[in-house]
């Protein structure tokens, strides 16, 4: 899937670029974005280190276990494959909390940590598990209670009007994400072993 | 009333990060006798490896998105789809943002800024745009980074589910705004 989309985007870009005379811009974008990608990753190092450090303290003091236990009734439905006291649950819960509170910077390190812990439970290291797909679907549907700071800055006084609408739309997309993921994970096309998906 | 409510929530949100940065070591040190400094450093070490590990995935995904954006393919797609959009009551002005949102955070923020500047924050179009922006995510980026960090190459149904959720979020944004803030 990702293979086709990835190739398709570049292929279409080159074809359209050739016809519209934007081919120079396409070349430039490719080179620029390669640099941007590295800068982004380098820029992440500090924030990652900060949050992973704090997380380690939370882990060693047992805080994560307490939080994970408290939310077990919800997480067991979403992630039935993950054992009850596995550290992944703690990281997943904290990542979701960070997303809900609009802490994008904190959410990424916590999410990556969750992925690492889910990977420990994965028998096929190159294939995503159901739990990973569920986690990412919820993550990308971005339940958010606090409006992004950028939106508040742009909308000014009108921000309060879109508070309700944003919560409504984000709830709908999260419900859609969970429904989709639970429905699709049982399809043969998307099974761990089979299908042409890659 | 809703004004002060949103104001206080955003005021409150300023304290979340400082509170976590101090609260977690506070709990560890005073209640559980954790060596907080050593633990912090131990955990922080992973920051570098994880950030470096995602570089190839980021390059792959961002280069493809950048090329696609620069080629003008988005505008073509827009022209092509505009009759369908007007049929379902989707404002054409908001469509580029809806398409850009799963691809690029900075790109979609640019489009949103433009929408608000051109139409004004009070316009229906700006409200729909801001709602869309707040209720969806840069799905491609998140998938590339999260799966990339652990070396997953077969992503199964994650992408479809994420894009479906984005589509539902975008349509919900359009319809709730039109319902609450009046017709087109």
């Amino acid at each position: 899937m990702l293979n086709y989309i990835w190739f398709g985007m570049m292929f279409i870009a080159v074809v359209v670029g050739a016809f519209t005379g934007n081919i120079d811009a396409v070349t430039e974008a490719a080179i620029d974005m390669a640099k941007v990608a590295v800068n982004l990753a380098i820029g992440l190092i500090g924030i990652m280190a900060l949050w992973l450090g704090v997380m380690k303290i939370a882990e060693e003091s047992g805080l994560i276990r307490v939080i994970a236990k408290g939310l077990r009734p919800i997480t067991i439905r979403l992630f039935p494959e993950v054992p009850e006291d596995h550290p992944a649950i703690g990281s997943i819960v904290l990542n979701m909390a960070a997303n809900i509170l609009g802490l994008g910077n904190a959410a990424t390190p916590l999410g990556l940590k969750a992925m690492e812990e889910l990977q420990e439970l994965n028998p096929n290291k190159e294939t995503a598990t159901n739990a990973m797909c569920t986690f990412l679907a919820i993550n990308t549907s971005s339940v958010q209670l606090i409006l992004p700071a950028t939106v508040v800055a742009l909308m000014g006084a009108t921000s309060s009007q879109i508070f309700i609408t944003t919560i409504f739309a984000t709830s709908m997309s999260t419900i859609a994400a969970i429904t989709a993921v639970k429905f699709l994970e049982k399809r043969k096309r998307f099974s761990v072993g089979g299908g042409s998906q890659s | 009333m809703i004004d002060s409510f949103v104001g206080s929530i955003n005021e409150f949100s300023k304290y979340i990060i400082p509170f976590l940065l101090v609260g977690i070591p506070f709990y560890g040190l005073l209640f559980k006798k954790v060596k907080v400094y050593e633990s912090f450093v131990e955990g922080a070490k992973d920051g570098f490896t994880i950030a470096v590990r995602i570089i190839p995935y980021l390059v792959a995904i961002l280069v493809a998105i950048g090329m696609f954006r620069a080629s003008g393919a988005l505008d073509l797609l827009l022209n092509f789809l505009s009759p369908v959009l007007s049929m379902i009551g989707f404002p054409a002005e908001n469509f580029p943002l809806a398409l850009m949102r799963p691809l690029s955070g900075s790109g979609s923020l640019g489009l949103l800024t433009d929408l608000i500047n051109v139409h004004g924050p009070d316009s229906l179009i700006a409200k729909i745009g801001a709602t869309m922006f707040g209720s969806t995510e840069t799905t491609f980026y998140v998938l590339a980074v999260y799966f990339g960090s652990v070396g997953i190459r077969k992503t199964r149904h994650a992408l479809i589910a994420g894009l479906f959720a984005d589509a539902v979020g975008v349509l919900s944004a359009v319809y709730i705004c039109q319902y609450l803030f009046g017709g087109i």
Side-chain angles (χ1 to χ4, degrees):
Chain A
M1 180 84 189
L2 206 52
N3 282 318
Y4 290 104
I5 292 183
W6 184 69
F7 171 74
M9 276 168 64
M10 292 195 297
F11 182 75
I12 293 170
V14 171
V15 172
V16 173
F19 276 103
T20 55
N22 288 340
I23 197 74
D24 283 341
V26 172
T27 312
E28 204 178 307
I31 291 162
D32 277 354
M33 287 310 259
K35 284 187 206 156
V36 167
V38 175
N39 286 338
L40 257 174
I42 300 293
L44 263 180
I45 295 176
I47 306 162
M48 291 281 300
L50 175 63
W51 283 108
L52 291 176
V54 172
M55 276 293 288
K56 191 80 183 170
I57 299 174
E59 199 183 304
E60 290 189 355
S61 59
L63 203 56
I64 292 179
R65 231 174 309 124
V66 174
I67 296 169
K69 226 179 196 156
L71 289 166
R72 195 58 198 156
I74 302 169
T75 52
I76 193 143
R77 286 194 174 79
L78 291 173
F79 308 101
E81 302 91 349
V82 182
E84 187 160 347
D85 45 5
H86 196 271
I89 294 291
S91 302
I92 289 173
V93 165
L94 290 173
N95 167 271
M96 286 182 189
N99 272 326
I100 290 172
L101 297 174
L103 309 174
N105 281 343
T108 307
L110 295 172
L112 294 180
K113 191 158 195 305
M115 288 302 281
E116 207 160 75
E117 286 155 353
L118 287 174
Q119 181 73 327
E120 284 168 17
L121 297 167
N122 187 1
N124 306 301
K125 295 297 178 203
E126 292 198 343
T127 306
T129 59
N130 287 345
M132 288 175 176
C133 293
T134 308
F135 174 54
L136 281 188
I138 295 173
N139 206 301
T140 57
S141 72
S142 87
V143 226
Q144 216 172 57
L145 206 64
I146 290 175
L147 292 174
T150 41
V151 172
V152 175
L154 285 169
M155 293 294 279
T158 325
S159 325
S160 46
Q161 288 185 25
I162 58 158
F163 181 71
I164 304 274
T165 57
T166 305
I167 289 189
F168 173 80
T170 195
S171 308
M172 295 302 280
S173 76
T174 305
I175 293 168
I178 295 170
T179 314
V181 101
K182 290 293 168 196
F183 174 78
L184 291 170
E185 70 184 22
K186 296 190 192 78
R187 305 288 109 185
K188 236 206 192 94
R189 233 165 92 80
F190 296 113
S191 66
V192 174
S196 57
Q197 298 296 313
S198 55
Chain B
M1 196 197 82
I2 188 103
D3 261 345
S4 60
F5 177 60
V6 171
S8 50
I9 283 199
N10 284 314
E11 184 63 29
F12 161 77
S13 70
K14 281 186 206 160
Y15 291 90
I16 297 172
I17 288 181
F19 175 77
L20 289 175
L21 288 181
V22 170
I24 291 171
F26 177 82
Y27 176 81
L29 188 63
L30 295 180
F31 289 89
K32 300 285 169 177
K33 301 269 176 290
V34 174
K35 289 181 180 146
V36 287
Y37 180 76
E38 275 93 338
S39 299
F40 179 89
V41 172
E42 182 61 31
K45 274 180 196 158
D46 290 338
F48 184 78
T49 23
I50 295 181
V52 170
R53 212 184 312 152
I54 60 177
I55 288 179
Y57 298 89
L58 272 181
V59 171
I61 216 83
L62 291 183
V63 165
I65 290 171
M67 288 169 68
F68 188 75
R69 222 167 65 188
S71 70
L74 208 59
D75 304 319
L76 272 182
L77 196 60
L78 195 63
N79 285 338
F80 185 69
L81 288 174
S82 61
V84 186
L85 291 175
S86 58
M87 235 165 63
I88 58 168
F90 198 113
E93 291 88 342
N94 288 116
F95 194 62
L97 179 63
L99 272 188
M100 183 65 85
R101 189 61 182 131
L103 297 175
S104 155
S106 55
S108 51
L109 184 61
L111 288 177
L112 177 65
T113 313
D114 189 54
L115 275 185
I116 296 173
N117 283 341
V118 171
H119 300 275
D122 280 324
S123 63
L124 181 63
I125 286 167
K127 286 174 192 167
I128 293 176
T131 304
M132 264 180 201
F133 188 86
S135 58
T136 48
E137 252 290 353
T138 49
T139 301
F140 282 95
Y141 170 83
V142 171
L143 287 193
V145 169
Y146 278 46
F147 280 133
S149 73
V150 289
I152 296 273
R153 294 199 290 142
K154 251 182 120 178
T155 58
R156 295 173 61 212
H157 52 292
L159 183 64
I160 304 242
L163 291 178
F164 175 69
D166 283 337
V168 170
V170 157
L171 288 173
S172 309
V174 170
Y175 294 129
I176 186 82
C177 288
Q178 285 178 347
Y179 178 74
L180 287 180
F181 308 127
I184 307 173

